[in-house]
Amino acid sequence: MGEFSIGQSVTRLEDPRLLTGKGRYLDDINYDRQLYAVILRSPHAHADILSIDTTTAKAAPGVHDVLTGRDYEDDGMGVVPCMGNYTNRDGGPMYIPYRPALAVDRVRNVGYPVAMVVADTEPQARDAMEMIDVDYKVRPAVTNCFDAFQDGAPQLYDDCPNNESYFYEAGDKDATDAAFAKADHTITQRLVINRVTANAMENRGVIGEFNPGNGRYTLRCGFQRPWLFRKSLADQAFKVPESRIRLVTDDIGGSYGLRGSIYPEMVLMPWASKLVGRPVKWIADRSESHLSDDDGRDNVVDASLAFDADGTFQGIRIRSWGNLGAYVSYRGASPPVVHIGTAIGVYTTPAAHVEISGMLTNTHCTSPYRGAGRPEASFMIERLVERAADQLGMDPAELRRKNIIPTTAMPYKTPLIYTYDCGEFEKNMDMAMEMADWHGFAERRKDSGARGKLRGIGMSNTLEWAADNTTETAEFRFDPTGDLTFVASTISHGQGHGTIQTQIICDLLGVEPERVNILQGDTDVSAFGMGTGGSRSTIMTGSAMVLAANKIIAKGKKLAAHLLEASEADIEFADGKFTVAGTDRALTTHEIAVAAYKDGNLPADMEPGLYETGTYNATTGNFPNGCHICEVEIDPDTGVTEMVRYSVVDDVGTIINPMLVRGQIMGGIAQGMGQVLMEDKTYDPESGQLIAGSFMDYCMPRADDFCDVNFEENEVPTQTNPLGVKGAGEAGTVGSLSAGTNAIVDALSQFGIAHIDTPCTPFKVWKAIHDAKAAG
């Protein structure tokens, strides 16, 4: 409806409040009689705990309690929840390690919680923590997921051979083996996809409160999936009925998957509150976040492509090891596997087979991080395409074009899991190549060479699977004044959900945007659903909103017919008005809402009020896709890489708000290129000590590390949901990881360099050039 209809670039409604310091984040919140917790964490990657002496700490000023793993077990507490549902090589359940919120007997990664101090103030708790005496016996450690799989590697658990938590296999092995046997060419590339971490602006924190009067735990923190968390915490950690757990969140300063996991602190604070009888608050500082936040990526992959002399793809084979960390986090089992089907990409490759091992190592847990397996899968196929083009001496764009799935083939069943419903993949590529001036690159390379720089160009045809086959609920509540409250089940942590949802509401019901209020983030209030993650929020909540709006409109037509003394069949609804067909007699949605609360206005068989719920049950996800083209310049004397051009065409289906979509894609590009150029969560391979434990060692990208990004959209609505939308939140990350790396390798190719692993830091790039010159 006007400025606020679907398709308009409405500025974010949230921003005036947030940018003027009126946000309400966890550290802004303090409870009456609140205590503070500090956690003692393991200094070792792998060690037996021989003893813990808390006597002196308990006697320190202001200390209310000092808790250990023994206290945790003795109180009957359960485990930090996990949703792992894969299998081992024998077909039995995957190996899920026992994970108490405080270590018992052994620590298996640096930073694991060993003890917790609860005191009147945070400084008192920290002082007392220093008084805890722990005696350790250090064990050998292993941090690399491929190394952990090898015979003779240190074993984290006696009953988990080769540290393999699960083994996953998909595709047709026989057909793939046959394709490789008969192909004219094959190429194999070892890909080491490095570990990164979210580094959200707001550090994690938790306030826990136990109410002895009703036996309820309240957990206040940033999270993405309130209802899933509530059930898992009730069943696995607290062992109480689900109704005894309440989750509340306020404004959230970023997530990128970080807050999609359940952490030990989310169990410890409510439990400690029960023991001490007062609310307990914990806030991580940045160094503690580096130790204890779940990380992302971290894969070793042997990827192979079979193809004919003319460039026709015949088969793809993937053998992958995914680093899960020392334990399996809440959703940590899924990233190595869940989106592996998109390793086919947008190509007609007829045969595929994948084998994936989920590996346990002496590192902190990994979890879904923006893209959650999608960028990794895209990286596999897009790097192979570049290697194949190099081997054949073909333009990589033309090799892609030769194998691209045509629009006329939709729906297209791939040999690996998925059936694509729609997409114009070649058009994406054509639009991106024109925008990037692909054919003018040779002249730009010559110009860079004249200035002593190496120039490279890289493309990535990307495709991902977004949303899921789950349920989401939307609730519309008009009050007697005619104002509307929308109750959501998804959680916004910076994406602009409030703006998008208001636009959808205004488009569906024609209400005035300033009369819309949105509730989210409280399981005692919010609607039921699976929450935020996997680029699902607008797809799932928006579809539920359509169902609820249709019910509002149906009741509104009946009431309008009664009030306007017309037949219900003659009532039309458009642009927020219920109109008698062929006349100017009409009532607005707001007027109908007010009338719905006046008993004398209602038909005899109508209940008062105007509030409806829509519950959307998806039967499938959807496939956002696009084409990214990156250009870089490299200084061969220093190895410094500079982004100089970036062009992207994305198909995210129906676009609700073009400006916010571009913002999401730009943010994703920044995170993907951050991994390409600099971000690296590293552990010492011998000791397992965290090397990148602060921003002194973990390099974060800044605005001047990027160039302007040119955007275009190729809007192909999907028929898989009522709005026709596809996911947008992770699209930028999916494309940029491969496009950026491909560009750097292209720049280095004049030295015979065929591949470089991320991050492509100045030293790594310089060393690759130096080594190539020395060898050649």
Side-chain angles (χ1 to χ4, degrees):
M1 181 176 168
E3 177 192 353
F4 276 82
S5 62
I6 289 174
Q8 301 299 310
S9 287
V10 177
T11 55
R12 287 176 24 131
L13 303 177
E14 302 90 339
D15 284 354
R17 177 176 64 86
L18 298 176
L19 294 176
T20 55
K22 297 181 177 65
R24 182 176 165 86
Y25 297 91
L26 188 82
D27 207 25
D28 298 320
I29 299 165
N30 292 292
Y31 285 29
D32 186 40
R33 300 176 65 245
Q34 173 183 286
L35 301 176
Y36 295 82
V38 170
I39 295 171
L40 176 68
R41 298 182 181 276
S42 169
H44 302 293
H46 199 186
D48 294 325
I49 300 174
L50 302 181
S51 65
I52 303 178
D53 186 351
T54 62
T55 307
T56 305
K58 285 184 175 180
V63 171
H64 287 251
D65 211 342
V66 180
L67 301 167
T68 68
R70 289 294 177 204
D71 300 318
Y72 183 87
E73 283 193 334
D74 290 346
D75 202 40
M77 292 294 291
V79 297
V80 179
C82 172
M83 294 183 67
N85 58 357
Y86 298 111
T87 60
N88 61 27
R89 288 177 179 268
D90 297 328
M94 65 178 282
Y95 185 88
I96 299 177
Y98 171 64
R99 188 187 183 192
L102 291 170
V104 179
D105 296 334
R106 192 190 294 189
V107 291
R108 291 178 171 86
N109 65 276
V110 170
Y112 198 84
V114 174
M116 177 172 66
V117 180
V118 180
D120 288 327
T121 68
E122 191 270 343
Q124 287 175 326
R126 194 164 296 280
D127 287 345
M129 181 191 72
E130 299 291 339
M131 302 174 188
I132 300 172
D133 184 19
V134 185
D135 188 13
Y136 296 98
K137 180 182 179 182
V138 176
R139 288 172 170 259
V142 60
T143 61
N144 179 280
C145 56
F146 180 76
D147 293 344
F149 186 71
Q150 306 309 306
D151 292 339
Q155 296 295 293
L156 274 72
Y157 303 93
D158 294 338
D159 53 346
C160 183
N162 292 95
N163 298 304
E164 187 180 60
S165 172
Y166 66 76
F167 178 76
Y168 176 88
E169 187 174 12
D172 188 328
K173 185 178 187 305
D174 291 341
T176 304
D177 289 346
F180 273 77
K182 71 178 183 180
D184 297 323
H185 301 281
T186 64
I187 192 80
T188 296
Q189 179 63 57
R190 166 67 60 89
L191 306 170
V192 179
I193 303 170
N194 67 301
R195 179 181 289 228
V196 291
T197 197
N199 288 317
M201 290 180 67
E202 181 191 19
N203 293 335
R204 287 190 304 113
V206 179
I207 302 175
E209 183 180 32
F210 178 76
N211 185 334
N214 58 19
R216 294 191 82 199
Y217 296 92
T218 296
L219 171 62
R220 194 171 207 124
C221 65
F223 51 75
Q224 294 179 215
R225 297 178 180 270
W227 294 97
L228 278 176
F229 281 20
R230 189 177 86 150
K231 177 172 176 52
S232 296
L233 285 164
D235 292 348
Q236 297 183 48
F238 292 97
K239 302 179 183 179
V240 297
E242 190 176 342
S243 60
R244 299 265 292 277
I245 304 282
R246 180 189 181 195
L247 273 73
V248 182
T249 192
D250 300 274
D251 289 322
I252 300 175
S255 181
Y256 320 114
L258 169 69
R259 304 180 206 276
S261 193
I262 296 178
Y263 293 86
E265 299 86 3
M266 297 165 70
V267 179
L268 291 174
M269 299 311 132
W271 172 62
S273 175
K274 178 183 176 182
L275 298 181
V276 301
R278 290 165 65 174
V280 179
K281 182 177 185 177
W282 166 82
I283 298 285
D285 62 23
R286 185 60 67 179
S287 293
E288 190 173 17
S289 293
H290 277 279
L291 278 173
S292 63
D293 287 355
D294 285 0
D295 301 321
R297 315 287 189 248
D298 201 345
N299 314 80
V300 175
V301 183
D302 288 335
S304 302
L305 182 68
F307 50 100
D308 289 338
D310 65 354
T312 302
F313 299 164
Q314 295 297 340
I316 183 171
R317 180 187 288 142
I318 303 292
R319 178 65 177 104
S320 176
W321 294 264
N323 199 335
L324 308 181
Y327 300 89
V328 183
S329 70
Y330 187 56
R331 298 175 70 85
S334 63
V337 168
V338 68
H339 295 293
I340 194 62
T342 57
I344 289 294
V346 299
Y347 308 114
T348 56
T349 313
H353 181 247
V354 300
E355 294 181 343
I356 301 170
S357 295
M359 299 302 302
L360 299 168
T361 67
N362 294 113
T363 62
H364 188 68
C365 297
T366 56
S367 277
Y369 167 75
R370 197 171 192 170
R374 302 169 180 88
E376 298 93 310
S378 176
F379 192 70
M380 296 172 200
I381 182 61
E382 291 300 310
R383 285 298 300 128
L384 286 174
V385 173
E386 294 286 319
R387 290 297 317 278
D390 183 57
Q391 186 166 316
L392 291 168
M394 287 182 67
D395 181 335
E398 294 313 307
L399 181 59
R400 288 177 168 89
R401 189 184 305 280
K402 181 175 184 62
N403 290 280
I404 209 160
I405 299 168
T407 304
T408 54
M410 299 297 172
Y412 183 82
K413 178 69 180 78
T414 78
L416 195 60
I417 304 169
Y418 294 132
T419 298
Y420 304 158
D421 66 300
C422 64
E424 298 175 346
F425 307 143
E426 188 170 12
K427 182 178 178 181
N428 293 341
M429 192 169 73
D430 288 339
M431 291 172 64
M433 290 175 67
E434 181 177 356
M435 183 167 43
D437 186 20
W438 179 272
H439 297 295
F441 171 73
E443 193 63 32
R444 295 192 296 277
R445 172 175 267 175
K446 184 187 300 182
D447 177 69
S448 296
R451 292 183 284 107
K453 299 292 183 70
L454 310 173
R455 196 176 188 110
I457 191 167
M459 175 186 288
S460 176
N461 278 333
T462 60
L463 178 139
E464 56 172 309
W465 187 69
D468 45 39
N469 307 358
T470 55
T471 298
E472 212 65 43
T473 303
E475 189 176 343
F476 290 152
R477 302 176 186 168
F478 282 95
D479 63 31
T481 71
D483 289 352
L484 172 62
T485 295
F486 167 59
V487 186
S489 57
T490 50
I491 304 293
S492 179
H493 37 82
Q495 306 97 315
H497 283 190
T499 305
I500 293 289
Q501 290 162 353
T502 300
Q503 283 185 256
I504 295 172
I505 291 168
C506 292
D507 196 272
L508 294 174
L509 294 175
V511 298
E512 298 167 18
E514 62 271 16
R515 300 183 70 177
V516 176
N517 181 46
I518 296 176
L519 295 179
Q520 64 157 30
D522 185 342
T523 54
D524 277 3
V525 175
S526 56
F528 176 79
M530 296 297 106
T532 297
S535 302
R536 69 187 300 280
S537 296
T538 298
I539 299 161
M540 301 297 292
T541 300
S543 297
M545 293 166 79
V546 170
L547 300 181
N550 288 341
K551 295 177 184 178
I552 292 285
I553 292 167
K555 184 172 183 177
K557 283 184 175 181
K558 188 171 184 178
L559 180 53
H562 176 75
L563 295 173
L564 297 172
E565 299 180 338
S567 167
E568 186 177 341
D570 290 335
I571 300 296
E572 298 174 343
F573 179 78
D575 299 326
K577 290 184 178 180
F578 295 87
T579 306
V580 179
T583 76
D584 60 358
R585 297 166 60 214
L587 293 168
T588 68
T589 302
H590 293 294
E591 290 171 331
I592 286 291
V594 171
Y597 284 90
K598 297 179 178 178
D599 291 343
N601 289 337
L602 303 180
D605 60 345
M606 181 175 288
E607 295 179 357
L610 192 60
Y611 28 81
E612 296 289 352
T613 297
T615 301
Y616 178 68
N617 187 37
T619 58
T620 185
N622 56 82
F623 297 93
N625 56 88
C627 182
H628 293 228
I629 297 177
C630 176
E631 274 187 53
V632 299
E633 273 192 345
I634 297 174
D635 184 336
D637 295 327
T638 65
V640 171
T641 300
E642 180 184 359
M643 284 177 63
V644 292
R645 293 168 69 106
Y646 202 104
S647 303
V648 55
V649 174
D650 264 304
D651 167 19
V652 295
T654 301
I655 297 176
I656 307 298
N657 185 315
M659 181 173 61
L660 266 63
V661 165
R662 289 188 175 191
Q664 285 291 306
I665 292 171
M666 181 66 236
I669 290 170
Q671 285 185 284
M673 289 303 300
Q675 181 171 3
V676 170
L677 295 173
M678 63 194 73
E679 293 189 56
D680 196 17
K681 183 73 174 286
T682 51
Y683 289 85
D684 181 84
E686 299 297 326
S687 67
Q689 289 295 322
L690 178 61
I691 295 174
S694 74
F695 287 146
M696 294 293 289
D697 301 298
Y698 187 100
C699 190
M700 287 288 287
R702 303 183 182 187
D704 61 0
D705 290 310
F706 303 102
C707 60
D708 288 338
V709 174
N710 300 309
F711 293 94
E712 285 189 17
E713 291 82 26
N714 181 22
E715 199 169 343
V716 182
T718 177
Q719 299 301 309
T720 60
N721 63 74
L723 290 174
V725 296
K726 303 173 185 176
E730 289 155 309
T733 315
V734 177
S736 56
L737 182 63
S738 3
T741 305
N742 287 343
I744 291 170
V745 174
D746 183 57
L748 299 175
S749 62
Q750 63 180 277
F751 298 107
I753 297 169
H755 179 73
I756 187 170
D757 287 316
T758 58
C760 305
T761 61
F763 175 73
K764 189 183 289 186
V765 171
W766 176 87
K767 188 173 186 303
I769 295 171
H770 179 270
D771 291 348
K773 287 180 176 179

